[in-house]
Amino acid sequence: MINIREHIDLKYIDRTYWALFLSLIVVAIIALFSAGSTLVYESHSAIGPVASQMVFFGIGIVLAFVIQFVPSAYCRLGGYIALVIALICLYAILLFPHAAFVATINGASRWIKVGGFTFQPSELAKPAISALLACAFYKDASLLNFS
């Protein structure tokens, strides 16, 4: 059986990162309640429209905790894989806008249906590009020198 304590040393947790991360989540929750007031009015429930987003916040917190212990080489590989998948999905939407896997939401046909979920491929490309840029800046810090 795998002993997680052997692989995760909690003394290396970046407390500043987590303070900022959780602060941003609190701000996002406040903004969500503010922006969702119309949905709250229509559904007659203060928590209903926000509950699914809260689940995603929880999943995000768990993923952020796990990902901080992943070696950077795996993050770079994951970034490449996610970017390739995102580009394939983006080109699929561009080439086949009326296919069965393309969903139109609020007049935009930029969504892909997978099972019961819909997602925008550009949302997958964002963290992939962020991971690859972070790896590039880590390898060559002179890329950050704009002068």
Side-chain angles (χ1 to χ4, degrees):
M1 188 156 165
I2 296 174
N3 186 358
I4 293 177
R5 290 187 186 260
E6 292 177 7
H7 300 287
I8 297 176
D9 194 355
L10 298 180
K11 69 180 179 182
Y12 294 114
I13 291 177
D14 186 355
R15 296 188 195 313
T16 305
Y17 163 78
W18 280 99
L20 291 171
F21 183 72
L22 294 175
S23 298
L24 285 173
I25 287 179
V26 168
V27 170
I29 291 170
I30 292 169
L32 190 61
F33 273 106
S34 174
S37 61
T38 305
L39 294 173
V40 169
Y41 177 75
E42 290 173 356
S43 68
H44 305 292
S45 170
I47 301 296
V50 181
S52 65
Q53 297 301 317
M54 299 298 277
V55 169
F56 288 122
F57 281 136
I59 292 170
I61 290 170
V62 170
L63 283 175
F65 182 78
V66 170
I67 287 174
Q68 74 180 346
F69 296 107
V70 175
S72 62
Y74 295 130
C75 289
R76 184 174 53 244
L77 177 63
Y80 283 122
I81 291 170
L83 188 60
V84 167
I85 291 171
L87 288 173
I88 290 170
C89 291
L90 286 167
Y91 281 122
I93 289 173
L94 180 67
L95 297 175
F96 310 107
H98 303 293
F101 60 85
V102 177
T104 301
I105 298 175
N106 294 331
S109 297
R110 294 183 288 261
W111 296 79
I112 290 185
K113 293 184 284 190
V114 177
F117 295 99
T118 57
F119 74 97
Q120 288 183 306
S122 61
E123 294 300 321
L124 181 61
K126 290 176 190 178
I129 290 172
S130 297
L132 294 175
L133 283 174
C135 289
F137 292 147
Y138 177 75
K139 282 184 175 180
D140 187 6
S142 68
L143 294 173
L144 294 173
N145 187 4
F146 297 111
S147 57

